[in-house]
Amino acid sequence: MTVYGYAMAASVESDDQAAELIASGCTHVFSDAHVSTEPPGSGWLELVDRVQRNDTVRIVNWGRLTRSTETARFIRTSLANLGVHVETLNG
């Protein structure tokens, strides 16, 4: 089982999130530089290509990842369908 990180932000905030995720034990962090109401981008596609069943994807928290409930639902459902666990650092 591998623990990956995923961050999405409009600015250098994704660097801050990546640092938090690496410090929490993630082996690799994928990120997208987007406005938090946009859908995930190329970092998301790379993550989905890499993860395997029983891996874990860790995010800092849903509020920092996206403000869109539709995008959050898409991320959760997509990872669950792949058999991947989702964890948050800060709720």
Side-chain angles (χ1 to χ4, degrees), residues 10-84:
S11 65
V12 296
E13 182 181 321
S14 66
D15 292 339
D16 295 341
Q17 290 179 52
E20 285 184 63
L21 292 165
I22 293 290
S24 78
C26 294
T27 58
H28 186 83
V29 175
F30 298 88
S31 63
D32 286 310
H34 285 288
V35 175
S36 63
T37 56
E38 293 180 11
S42 61
W44 168 256
L45 297 175
E46 291 175 37
L47 172 66
V48 170
D49 283 343
R50 175 87 59 95
V51 295
Q52 298 179 14
R53 180 171 292 284
N54 294 320
D55 282 347
T56 298
V57 172
R58 189 173 290 154
I59 64 171
V60 174
N61 69 44
W62 288 106
R64 288 180 67 185
L65 186 68
T66 182
R67 290 186 197 124
S68 165
T69 56
E70 185 176 307
T71 299
R73 187 174 319 124
F74 168 79
I75 291 170
R76 284 185 185 117
T77 302
S78 298
L79 294 173
N81 289 342
L82 293 170
V84 174

